[in-house]
Amino acid sequence: MRTLVLNAGYEPLAVVSFKRALVLVMNEKATVVEHVEAEPVWGTRRTYDRPAVIILTRYVRVPGVRNVPVTRRGVLRRDGHRCGYCGKSAATIDHVLPRSRGGADSWENLVACCLRCNNVKGDRTPQEMGWELRYPPAPPRGGQWTVRGTERADPRWEPYLALAA
């Protein structure tokens, strides 16, 4: 069981284990915002709701802008597992500007691609093929990208992750 941790300003910070969330609540460093409809946890002095979402009692300063690392899984997820050229189901990724021509492994140069389009395109650019991208590739945005562990989000987290988008 996992718990979403919110900063004092309701900004999503992290996803932690149920045990870690309960320790934060027991030490009065956080309070439960949303709880799981299950049996409560019995402490030595009182009972606690099983936390689904907690909020820290003090604001934690987050250093700088969080950059999302470029991964194959991330590119496929960003593009909804749809080919950037034809729109069919994608299982591979493609460099818009091929690596052999100086193309980087960046969010702006990678798109999800079906196997057929990837093989046909080969070492050429979309312009040379007469193809057009369905959308311009860009870095992903939103709380579900900057907060690790939200890929498999609990439905109770949705309103809090939407605030970060």
mmCIF file of all heavy atoms in Angstrom, residues 112-161:
data_model
loop_
_atom_site.group_PDB
_atom_site.id
_atom_site.type_symbol
_atom_site.label_atom_id
_atom_site.label_comp_id
_atom_site.label_asym_id
_atom_site.label_seq_id
_atom_site.Cartn_x
_atom_site.Cartn_y
_atom_site.Cartn_z
ATOM 1 N N ALA A 112 7.345 8.134 -29.784
ATOM 2 C CA ALA A 112 6.937 6.729 -29.850
ATOM 3 C C ALA A 112 6.712 6.393 -31.322
ATOM 4 O O ALA A 112 6.289 7.244 -32.104
ATOM 5 C CB ALA A 112 5.662 6.514 -29.045
ATOM 6 N N CYS A 113 7.008 5.158 -31.688
ATOM 7 C CA CYS A 113 6.935 4.792 -33.098
ATOM 8 C C CYS A 113 6.555 3.319 -33.228
ATOM 9 O O CYS A 113 7.038 2.484 -32.451
ATOM 10 C CB CYS A 113 8.300 5.058 -33.741
ATOM 11 S SG CYS A 113 8.298 4.972 -35.532
ATOM 12 N N CYS A 114 5.709 3.013 -34.209
ATOM 13 C CA CYS A 114 5.390 1.603 -34.459
ATOM 14 C C CYS A 114 6.579 0.982 -35.193
ATOM 15 O O CYS A 114 7.393 1.687 -35.806
ATOM 16 C CB CYS A 114 4.102 1.466 -35.264
ATOM 17 S SG CYS A 114 4.193 2.049 -36.966
ATOM 18 N N LEU A 115 6.685 -0.314 -35.143
ATOM 19 C CA LEU A 115 7.815 -1.016 -35.738
ATOM 20 C C LEU A 115 7.888 -0.776 -37.247
ATOM 21 O O LEU A 115 8.975 -0.564 -37.795
ATOM 22 C CB LEU A 115 7.712 -2.518 -35.428
ATOM 23 C CG LEU A 115 8.947 -3.351 -35.679
ATOM 24 C CD1 LEU A 115 10.134 -2.812 -34.897
ATOM 25 C CD2 LEU A 115 8.696 -4.792 -35.300
ATOM 26 N N ARG A 116 6.745 -0.757 -37.918
ATOM 27 C CA ARG A 116 6.725 -0.559 -39.371
ATOM 28 C C ARG A 116 7.280 0.813 -39.745
ATOM 29 O O ARG A 116 8.168 0.924 -40.588
ATOM 30 C CB ARG A 116 5.296 -0.720 -39.903
ATOM 31 C CG ARG A 116 5.214 -0.595 -41.403
ATOM 32 C CD ARG A 116 3.760 -0.675 -41.897
ATOM 33 N NE ARG A 116 3.684 -0.390 -43.304
ATOM 34 C CZ ARG A 116 3.703 0.853 -43.825
ATOM 35 N NH1 ARG A 116 3.814 1.893 -43.029
ATOM 36 N NH2 ARG A 116 3.621 1.026 -45.122
ATOM 37 N N CYS A 117 6.783 1.883 -39.111
ATOM 38 C CA CYS A 117 7.266 3.238 -39.422
ATOM 39 C C CYS A 117 8.743 3.385 -39.078
ATOM 40 O O CYS A 117 9.493 4.039 -39.819
ATOM 41 C CB CYS A 117 6.449 4.292 -38.670
ATOM 42 S SG CYS A 117 4.778 4.527 -39.322
ATOM 43 N N ASN A 118 9.159 2.778 -37.984
ATOM 44 C CA ASN A 118 10.555 2.876 -37.566
ATOM 45 C C ASN A 118 11.468 2.220 -38.608
ATOM 46 O O ASN A 118 12.510 2.764 -38.956
ATOM 47 C CB ASN A 118 10.746 2.219 -36.196
ATOM 48 C CG ASN A 118 11.906 2.801 -35.421
ATOM 49 O OD1 ASN A 118 12.740 3.502 -35.965
ATOM 50 N ND2 ASN A 118 11.945 2.509 -34.143
ATOM 51 N N ASN A 119 11.072 1.076 -39.135
ATOM 52 C CA ASN A 119 11.883 0.384 -40.145
ATOM 53 C C ASN A 119 11.866 1.118 -41.482
ATOM 54 O O ASN A 119 12.892 1.184 -42.166
ATOM 55 C CB ASN A 119 11.395 -1.051 -40.331
ATOM 56 C CG ASN A 119 11.789 -1.940 -39.171
ATOM 57 O OD1 ASN A 119 12.781 -1.692 -38.495
ATOM 58 N ND2 ASN A 119 10.999 -2.979 -38.924
ATOM 59 N N VAL A 120 10.714 1.655 -41.886
ATOM 60 C CA VAL A 120 10.617 2.369 -43.165
ATOM 61 C C VAL A 120 11.421 3.665 -43.112
ATOM 62 O O VAL A 120 12.133 4.016 -44.048
ATOM 63 C CB VAL A 120 9.135 2.655 -43.521
ATOM 64 C CG1 VAL A 120 9.031 3.606 -44.697
ATOM 65 C CG2 VAL A 120 8.406 1.353 -43.831
ATOM 66 N N LYS A 121 11.323 4.392 -42.000
ATOM 67 C CA LYS A 121 12.014 5.683 -41.864
ATOM 68 C C LYS A 121 13.526 5.499 -41.848
ATOM 69 O O LYS A 121 14.259 6.248 -42.486
ATOM 70 C CB LYS A 121 11.561 6.406 -40.597
ATOM 71 C CG LYS A 121 12.232 7.752 -40.395
ATOM 72 C CD LYS A 121 11.695 8.422 -39.157
ATOM 73 C CE LYS A 121 12.490 9.651 -38.819
ATOM 74 N NZ LYS A 121 13.750 9.397 -38.160
ATOM 75 N N GLY A 122 13.971 4.496 -41.121
ATOM 76 C CA GLY A 122 15.405 4.207 -41.076
ATOM 77 C C GLY A 122 16.229 5.377 -40.589
ATOM 78 O O GLY A 122 15.972 5.947 -39.542
ATOM 79 N N ASP A 123 17.230 5.773 -41.404
ATOM 80 C CA ASP A 123 18.193 6.804 -41.024
ATOM 81 C C ASP A 123 17.888 8.139 -41.707
ATOM 82 O O ASP A 123 18.782 8.880 -42.054
ATOM 83 C CB ASP A 123 19.599 6.312 -41.411
ATOM 84 C CG ASP A 123 20.684 7.047 -40.663
ATOM 85 O OD1 ASP A 123 20.390 7.582 -39.582
ATOM 86 O OD2 ASP A 123 21.817 7.108 -41.167
ATOM 87 N N ARG A 124 16.593 8.420 -41.898
ATOM 88 C CA ARG A 124 16.201 9.658 -42.571
ATOM 89 C C ARG A 124 15.355 10.525 -41.643
ATOM 90 O O ARG A 124 14.876 10.063 -40.620
ATOM 91 C CB ARG A 124 15.408 9.319 -43.833
ATOM 92 C CG ARG A 124 16.279 8.630 -44.884
ATOM 93 C CD ARG A 124 15.464 8.150 -46.024
ATOM 94 N NE ARG A 124 14.668 6.991 -45.567
ATOM 95 C CZ ARG A 124 14.225 6.040 -46.355
ATOM 96 N NH1 ARG A 124 14.458 6.077 -47.630
ATOM 97 N NH2 ARG A 124 13.508 5.040 -45.877
ATOM 98 N N THR A 125 15.163 11.765 -42.030
ATOM 99 C CA THR A 125 14.316 12.671 -41.254
ATOM 100 C C THR A 125 12.881 12.579 -41.780
ATOM 101 O O THR A 125 12.665 12.135 -42.917
ATOM 102 C CB THR A 125 14.805 14.135 -41.376
ATOM 103 O OG1 THR A 125 14.641 14.563 -42.722
ATOM 104 C CG2 THR A 125 16.254 14.276 -40.942
ATOM 105 N N PRO A 126 11.901 13.001 -40.992
ATOM 106 C CA PRO A 126 10.516 12.974 -41.487
ATOM 107 C C PRO A 126 10.340 13.830 -42.749
ATOM 108 O O PRO A 126 9.564 13.457 -43.639
ATOM 109 C CB PRO A 126 9.710 13.554 -40.321
ATOM 110 C CG PRO A 126 10.553 13.328 -39.116
ATOM 111 C CD PRO A 126 11.965 13.393 -39.586
ATOM 112 N N GLN A 127 11.057 14.946 -42.860
ATOM 113 C CA GLN A 127 10.947 15.798 -44.041
ATOM 114 C C GLN A 127 11.412 15.064 -45.292
ATOM 115 O O GLN A 127 10.803 15.188 -46.363
ATOM 116 C CB GLN A 127 11.771 17.092 -43.866
ATOM 117 C CG GLN A 127 11.240 18.035 -42.808
ATOM 118 C CD GLN A 127 11.620 17.615 -41.391
ATOM 119 O OE1 GLN A 127 12.544 16.813 -41.185
ATOM 120 N NE2 GLN A 127 10.899 18.132 -40.406
ATOM 121 N N GLU A 128 12.499 14.308 -45.186
ATOM 122 C CA GLU A 128 13.004 13.538 -46.322
ATOM 123 C C GLU A 128 12.022 12.452 -46.735
ATOM 124 O O GLU A 128 11.964 12.072 -47.900
ATOM 125 C CB GLU A 128 14.357 12.905 -45.969
ATOM 126 C CG GLU A 128 15.476 13.907 -45.797
ATOM 127 C CD GLU A 128 16.753 13.286 -45.246
ATOM 128 O OE1 GLU A 128 16.739 12.122 -44.792
ATOM 129 O OE2 GLU A 128 17.770 13.982 -45.268
ATOM 130 N N MET A 129 11.241 11.970 -45.787
ATOM 131 C CA MET A 129 10.256 10.924 -46.071
ATOM 132 C C MET A 129 8.924 11.511 -46.554
ATOM 133 O O MET A 129 8.067 10.784 -47.042
ATOM 134 C CB MET A 129 9.983 10.103 -44.808
ATOM 135 C CG MET A 129 11.167 9.343 -44.289
ATOM 136 S SD MET A 129 11.656 8.021 -45.395
ATOM 137 C CE MET A 129 10.234 6.978 -45.370
ATOM 138 N N GLY A 130 8.759 12.820 -46.373
ATOM 139 C CA GLY A 130 7.474 13.442 -46.701
ATOM 140 C C GLY A 130 6.448 13.186 -45.610
ATOM 141 O O GLY A 130 5.246 13.256 -45.853
ATOM 142 N N TRP A 131 6.911 12.858 -44.414
ATOM 143 C CA TRP A 131 6.024 12.575 -43.278
ATOM 144 C C TRP A 131 5.892 13.805 -42.400
ATOM 145 O O TRP A 131 6.759 14.673 -42.385
ATOM 146 C CB TRP A 131 6.585 11.443 -42.430
ATOM 147 C CG TRP A 131 6.550 10.099 -43.082
ATOM 148 C CD1 TRP A 131 6.087 9.782 -44.318
ATOM 149 C CD2 TRP A 131 7.028 8.885 -42.506
ATOM 150 N NE1 TRP A 131 6.243 8.444 -44.561
ATOM 151 C CE2 TRP A 131 6.821 7.874 -43.454
ATOM 152 C CE3 TRP A 131 7.613 8.554 -41.309
ATOM 153 C CZ2 TRP A 131 7.160 6.550 -43.233
ATOM 154 C CZ3 TRP A 131 7.955 7.243 -41.070
ATOM 155 C CH2 TRP A 131 7.732 6.242 -42.022
ATOM 156 N N GLU A 132 4.818 13.823 -41.624
ATOM 157 C CA GLU A 132 4.607 14.875 -40.651
ATOM 158 C C GLU A 132 4.347 14.249 -39.303
ATOM 159 O O GLU A 132 3.632 13.250 -39.211
ATOM 160 C CB GLU A 132 3.399 15.724 -41.054
ATOM 161 C CG GLU A 132 3.721 17.176 -41.242
ATOM 162 C CD GLU A 132 2.500 17.971 -41.610
ATOM 163 O OE1 GLU A 132 1.727 18.311 -40.704
ATOM 164 O OE2 GLU A 132 2.343 18.235 -42.807
ATOM 165 N N LEU A 133 4.900 14.854 -38.268
ATOM 166 C CA LEU A 133 4.625 14.383 -36.905
ATOM 167 C C LEU A 133 3.206 14.800 -36.525
ATOM 168 O O LEU A 133 2.759 15.891 -36.874
ATOM 169 C CB LEU A 133 5.625 14.985 -35.917
ATOM 170 C CG LEU A 133 7.003 14.345 -35.895
ATOM 171 C CD1 LEU A 133 7.980 15.199 -35.106
ATOM 172 C CD2 LEU A 133 6.926 12.964 -35.282
ATOM 173 N N ARG A 134 2.531 13.947 -35.809
ATOM 174 C CA ARG A 134 1.160 14.246 -35.360
ATOM 175 C C ARG A 134 1.138 15.345 -34.320
ATOM 176 O O ARG A 134 0.138 16.025 -34.160
ATOM 177 C CB ARG A 134 0.514 12.974 -34.804
ATOM 178 C CG ARG A 134 0.294 11.924 -35.882
ATOM 179 C CD ARG A 134 -0.254 10.596 -35.387
ATOM 180 N NE ARG A 134 -1.249 10.735 -34.360
ATOM 181 C CZ ARG A 134 -1.196 10.103 -33.174
ATOM 182 N NH1 ARG A 134 -0.196 9.311 -32.886
ATOM 183 N NH2 ARG A 134 -2.149 10.260 -32.292
ATOM 184 N N TYR A 135 2.237 15.534 -33.596
ATOM 185 C CA TYR A 135 2.356 16.555 -32.549
ATOM 186 C C TYR A 135 3.845 16.821 -32.348
ATOM 187 O O TYR A 135 4.673 15.945 -32.559
ATOM 188 C CB TYR A 135 1.730 16.073 -31.234
ATOM 189 C CG TYR A 135 2.126 14.668 -30.905
ATOM 190 C CD1 TYR A 135 3.344 14.403 -30.275
ATOM 191 C CD2 TYR A 135 1.340 13.587 -31.294
ATOM 192 C CE1 TYR A 135 3.744 13.107 -30.035
ATOM 193 C CE2 TYR A 135 1.742 12.288 -31.050
ATOM 194 C CZ TYR A 135 2.941 12.058 -30.415
ATOM 195 O OH TYR A 135 3.356 10.773 -30.179
ATOM 196 N N PRO A 136 4.208 18.023 -31.947
ATOM 197 C CA PRO A 136 5.628 18.289 -31.695
ATOM 198 C C PRO A 136 6.059 17.659 -30.371
ATOM 199 O O PRO A 136 5.397 17.854 -29.348
ATOM 200 C CB PRO A 136 5.697 19.821 -31.624
ATOM 201 C CG PRO A 136 4.323 20.258 -31.276
ATOM 202 C CD PRO A 136 3.384 19.210 -31.820
ATOM 203 N N PRO A 137 7.134 16.883 -30.369
ATOM 204 C CA PRO A 137 7.580 16.267 -29.117
ATOM 205 C C PRO A 137 8.092 17.328 -28.139
ATOM 206 O O PRO A 137 8.779 18.263 -28.537
ATOM 207 C CB PRO A 137 8.692 15.312 -29.544
ATOM 208 C CG PRO A 137 9.084 15.735 -30.916
ATOM 209 C CD PRO A 137 7.950 16.499 -31.505
ATOM 210 N N ALA A 138 7.732 17.181 -26.866
ATOM 211 C CA ALA A 138 8.116 18.147 -25.833
ATOM 212 C C ALA A 138 8.282 17.421 -24.507
ATOM 213 O O ALA A 138 7.748 16.314 -24.329
ATOM 214 C CB ALA A 138 7.047 19.222 -25.718
ATOM 215 N N PRO A 139 9.002 18.023 -23.563
ATOM 216 C CA PRO A 139 9.134 17.394 -22.242
ATOM 217 C C PRO A 139 7.766 17.267 -21.574
ATOM 218 O O PRO A 139 6.908 18.139 -21.743
ATOM 219 C CB PRO A 139 10.026 18.363 -21.462
ATOM 220 C CG PRO A 139 10.693 19.213 -22.481
ATOM 221 C CD PRO A 139 9.775 19.263 -23.657
ATOM 222 N N PRO A 140 7.547 16.196 -20.834
ATOM 223 C CA PRO A 140 6.261 16.029 -20.159
ATOM 224 C C PRO A 140 6.114 17.008 -19.006
ATOM 225 O O PRO A 140 7.098 17.456 -18.427
ATOM 226 C CB PRO A 140 6.310 14.584 -19.654
ATOM 227 C CG PRO A 140 7.758 14.279 -19.544
ATOM 228 C CD PRO A 140 8.443 15.087 -20.598
ATOM 229 N N ARG A 141 4.865 17.348 -18.676
ATOM 230 C CA ARG A 141 4.579 18.279 -17.588
ATOM 231 C C ARG A 141 3.599 17.646 -16.621
ATOM 232 O O ARG A 141 2.917 16.702 -16.947
ATOM 233 C CB ARG A 141 3.936 19.548 -18.122
ATOM 234 C CG ARG A 141 4.776 20.388 -19.031
ATOM 235 C CD ARG A 141 4.040 21.688 -19.263
ATOM 236 N NE ARG A 141 4.301 22.581 -20.303
ATOM 237 C CZ ARG A 141 5.427 23.163 -20.658
ATOM 238 N NH1 ARG A 141 6.435 22.899 -20.132
ATOM 239 N NH2 ARG A 141 5.555 24.018 -21.592
ATOM 240 N N GLY A 142 3.521 18.218 -15.437
ATOM 241 C CA GLY A 142 2.508 17.800 -14.473
ATOM 242 C C GLY A 142 3.081 17.000 -13.320
ATOM 243 O O GLY A 142 4.202 16.489 -13.380
ATOM 244 N N GLY A 143 2.285 16.919 -12.280
ATOM 245 C CA GLY A 143 2.694 16.233 -11.059
ATOM 246 C C GLY A 143 2.967 14.769 -11.238
ATOM 247 O O GLY A 143 3.834 14.205 -10.572
ATOM 248 N N GLN A 144 2.236 14.124 -12.160
ATOM 249 C CA GLN A 144 2.457 12.696 -12.360
ATOM 250 C C GLN A 144 3.817 12.413 -12.976
ATOM 251 O O GLN A 144 4.272 11.291 -12.979
ATOM 252 C CB GLN A 144 1.337 12.053 -13.177
ATOM 253 C CG GLN A 144 1.132 12.636 -14.546
ATOM 254 C CD GLN A 144 0.162 13.790 -14.561
ATOM 255 O OE1 GLN A 144 0.078 14.565 -13.629
ATOM 256 N NE2 GLN A 144 -0.589 13.916 -15.629
ATOM 257 N N TRP A 145 4.514 13.426 -13.506
ATOM 258 C CA TRP A 145 5.848 13.248 -14.067
ATOM 259 C C TRP A 145 6.931 13.633 -13.079
ATOM 260 O O TRP A 145 8.019 13.076 -13.096
ATOM 261 C CB TRP A 145 6.003 14.062 -15.354
ATOM 262 C CG TRP A 145 5.191 13.486 -16.448
ATOM 263 C CD1 TRP A 145 3.932 13.854 -16.817
ATOM 264 C CD2 TRP A 145 5.538 12.394 -17.287
ATOM 265 N NE1 TRP A 145 3.497 13.072 -17.844
ATOM 266 C CE2 TRP A 145 4.465 12.169 -18.158
ATOM 267 C CE3 TRP A 145 6.671 11.594 -17.396
ATOM 268 C CZ2 TRP A 145 4.490 11.171 -19.122
ATOM 269 C CZ3 TRP A 145 6.681 10.600 -18.363
ATOM 270 C CH2 TRP A 145 5.603 10.397 -19.210
ATOM 271 N N THR A 146 6.677 14.646 -12.240
ATOM 272 C CA THR A 146 7.714 15.104 -11.321
ATOM 273 C C THR A 146 7.714 14.344 -10.010
ATOM 274 O O THR A 146 8.693 14.361 -9.284
ATOM 275 C CB THR A 146 7.570 16.611 -11.024
ATOM 276 O OG1 THR A 146 6.263 16.863 -10.525
ATOM 277 C CG2 THR A 146 7.827 17.438 -12.262
ATOM 278 N N VAL A 147 6.624 13.677 -9.705
ATOM 279 C CA VAL A 147 6.525 12.910 -8.465
ATOM 280 C C VAL A 147 6.677 11.437 -8.811
ATOM 281 O O VAL A 147 5.837 10.868 -9.511
ATOM 282 C CB VAL A 147 5.178 13.157 -7.751
ATOM 283 C CG1 VAL A 147 5.099 12.356 -6.474
ATOM 284 C CG2 VAL A 147 4.983 14.634 -7.478
ATOM 285 N N ARG A 148 7.751 10.822 -8.324
ATOM 286 C CA ARG A 148 8.007 9.417 -8.636
ATOM 287 C C ARG A 148 6.962 8.523 -7.979
ATOM 288 O O ARG A 148 6.571 8.736 -6.847
ATOM 289 C CB ARG A 148 9.389 9.016 -8.137
ATOM 290 C CG ARG A 148 10.487 9.750 -8.840
ATOM 291 C CD ARG A 148 11.797 9.246 -8.381
ATOM 292 N NE ARG A 148 12.279 8.357 -9.427
ATOM 293 C CZ ARG A 148 13.308 7.565 -9.294
ATOM 294 N NH1 ARG A 148 13.957 7.500 -8.178
ATOM 295 N NH2 ARG A 148 13.681 6.799 -10.290
ATOM 296 N N GLY A 149 6.538 7.517 -8.717
ATOM 297 C CA GLY A 149 5.612 6.540 -8.168
ATOM 298 C C GLY A 149 4.164 6.794 -8.494
ATOM 299 O O GLY A 149 3.287 6.044 -8.093
ATOM 300 N N THR A 150 3.860 7.859 -9.259
ATOM 301 C CA THR A 150 2.464 8.159 -9.555
ATOM 302 C C THR A 150 1.970 7.527 -10.858
ATOM 303 O O THR A 150 0.846 7.765 -11.267
ATOM 304 C CB THR A 150 2.218 9.684 -9.613
ATOM 305 O OG1 THR A 150 3.104 10.248 -10.576
ATOM 306 C CG2 THR A 150 2.424 10.327 -8.268
ATOM 307 N N GLU A 151 2.818 6.708 -11.499
ATOM 308 C CA GLU A 151 2.367 6.026 -12.727
ATOM 309 C C GLU A 151 1.143 5.163 -12.435
ATOM 310 O O GLU A 151 0.226 5.065 -13.225
ATOM 311 C CB GLU A 151 3.424 5.097 -13.317
ATOM 312 C CG GLU A 151 4.812 5.556 -13.529
ATOM 313 C CD GLU A 151 5.644 5.706 -12.287
ATOM 314 O OE1 GLU A 151 5.896 4.724 -11.571
ATOM 315 O OE2 GLU A 151 6.069 6.829 -12.041
ATOM 316 N N ARG A 152 1.181 4.495 -11.299
ATOM 317 C CA ARG A 152 0.054 3.646 -10.889
ATOM 318 C C ARG A 152 -0.675 4.372 -9.764
ATOM 319 O O ARG A 152 -0.666 3.950 -8.620
ATOM 320 C CB ARG A 152 0.571 2.297 -10.409
ATOM 321 C CG ARG A 152 1.394 1.553 -11.428
ATOM 322 C CD ARG A 152 1.951 0.255 -10.856
ATOM 323 N NE ARG A 152 2.380 0.378 -9.484
ATOM 324 C CZ ARG A 152 3.621 0.304 -9.054
ATOM 325 N NH1 ARG A 152 4.590 0.102 -9.907
ATOM 326 N NH2 ARG A 152 3.922 0.419 -7.776
ATOM 327 N N ALA A 153 -1.304 5.481 -10.121
ATOM 328 C CA ALA A 153 -1.914 6.354 -9.116
ATOM 329 C C ALA A 153 -3.193 5.752 -8.543
ATOM 330 O O ALA A 153 -3.982 5.132 -9.245
ATOM 331 C CB ALA A 153 -2.206 7.714 -9.725
ATOM 332 N N ASP A 154 -3.372 5.970 -7.270
ATOM 333 C CA ASP A 154 -4.596 5.628 -6.559
ATOM 334 C C ASP A 154 -5.659 6.644 -7.000
ATOM 335 O O ASP A 154 -5.354 7.830 -7.131
ATOM 336 C CB ASP A 154 -4.321 5.747 -5.050
ATOM 337 C CG ASP A 154 -5.471 5.276 -4.199
ATOM 338 O OD1 ASP A 154 -6.606 5.685 -4.477
ATOM 339 O OD2 ASP A 154 -5.227 4.521 -3.238
ATOM 340 N N PRO A 155 -6.892 6.236 -7.242
ATOM 341 C CA PRO A 155 -7.929 7.205 -7.657
ATOM 342 C C PRO A 155 -8.111 8.361 -6.670
ATOM 343 O O PRO A 155 -8.483 9.459 -7.074
ATOM 344 C CB PRO A 155 -9.198 6.357 -7.737
ATOM 345 C CG PRO A 155 -8.736 4.953 -7.859
ATOM 346 C CD PRO A 155 -7.390 4.874 -7.212
ATOM 347 N N ARG A 156 -7.813 8.146 -5.403
ATOM 348 C CA ARG A 156 -7.950 9.212 -4.405
ATOM 349 C C ARG A 156 -6.896 10.306 -4.590
ATOM 350 O O ARG A 156 -7.038 11.395 -4.053
ATOM 351 C CB ARG A 156 -7.857 8.632 -2.993
ATOM 352 C CG ARG A 156 -9.074 7.833 -2.580
ATOM 353 C CD ARG A 156 -8.863 7.238 -1.209
ATOM 354 N NE ARG A 156 -7.925 6.136 -1.265
ATOM 355 C CZ ARG A 156 -8.285 4.848 -1.305
ATOM 356 N NH1 ARG A 156 -9.549 4.514 -1.276
ATOM 357 N NH2 ARG A 156 -7.376 3.897 -1.368
ATOM 358 N N TRP A 157 -5.838 10.024 -5.353
ATOM 359 C CA TRP A 157 -4.777 11.002 -5.559
ATOM 360 C C TRP A 157 -5.103 11.999 -6.666
ATOM 361 O O TRP A 157 -4.499 13.065 -6.746
ATOM 362 C CB TRP A 157 -3.463 10.321 -5.927
ATOM 363 C CG TRP A 157 -2.943 9.348 -4.929
ATOM 364 C CD1 TRP A 157 -3.419 9.083 -3.667
ATOM 365 C CD2 TRP A 157 -1.827 8.479 -5.110
ATOM 366 N NE1 TRP A 157 -2.663 8.110 -3.069
ATOM 367 C CE2 TRP A 157 -1.683 7.724 -3.931
ATOM 368 C CE3 TRP A 157 -0.942 8.271 -6.151
ATOM 369 C CZ2 TRP A 157 -0.679 6.777 -3.770
ATOM 370 C CZ3 TRP A 157 0.057 7.332 -5.987
ATOM 371 C CH2 TRP A 157 0.190 6.596 -4.801
ATOM 372 N N GLU A 158 -6.026 11.639 -7.559
ATOM 373 C CA GLU A 158 -6.298 12.438 -8.763
ATOM 374 C C GLU A 158 -6.493 13.931 -8.505
ATOM 375 O O GLU A 158 -5.884 14.751 -9.182
ATOM 376 C CB GLU A 158 -7.515 11.866 -9.516
ATOM 377 C CG GLU A 158 -7.299 10.494 -10.106
ATOM 378 C CD GLU A 158 -6.188 10.427 -11.135
ATOM 379 O OE1 GLU A 158 -6.000 11.407 -11.883
ATOM 380 O OE2 GLU A 158 -5.490 9.405 -11.195
ATOM 381 N N PRO A 159 -7.328 14.345 -7.543
ATOM 382 C CA PRO A 159 -7.529 15.801 -7.340
ATOM 383 C C PRO A 159 -6.230 16.518 -6.941
ATOM 384 O O PRO A 159 -6.029 17.676 -7.322
ATOM 385 C CB PRO A 159 -8.544 15.892 -6.195
ATOM 386 C CG PRO A 159 -9.111 14.531 -6.024
ATOM 387 C CD PRO A 159 -8.164 13.557 -6.642
ATOM 388 N N TYR A 160 -5.349 15.845 -6.228
ATOM 389 C CA TYR A 160 -4.106 16.477 -5.756
ATOM 390 C C TYR A 160 -3.055 16.513 -6.852
ATOM 391 O O TYR A 160 -2.272 17.439 -6.906
ATOM 392 C CB TYR A 160 -3.589 15.751 -4.515
ATOM 393 C CG TYR A 160 -4.658 15.652 -3.463
ATOM 394 C CD1 TYR A 160 -5.376 14.469 -3.257
ATOM 395 C CD2 TYR A 160 -4.993 16.756 -2.677
ATOM 396 C CE1 TYR A 160 -6.378 14.398 -2.321
ATOM 397 C CE2 TYR A 160 -6.003 16.688 -1.742
ATOM 398 C CZ TYR A 160 -6.684 15.500 -1.549
ATOM 399 O OH TYR A 160 -7.694 15.430 -0.636
ATOM 400 N N LEU A 161 -3.035 15.515 -7.724
ATOM 401 C CA LEU A 161 -2.097 15.509 -8.833
ATOM 402 C C LEU A 161 -2.540 16.496 -9.905
ATOM 403 O O LEU A 161 -1.723 17.086 -10.602
ATOM 404 C CB LEU A 161 -1.956 14.115 -9.425
ATOM 405 C CG LEU A 161 -1.297 13.077 -8.516
ATOM 406 C CD1 LEU A 161 -1.333 11.709 -9.173
ATOM 407 C CD2 LEU A 161 0.122 13.463 -8.181
#
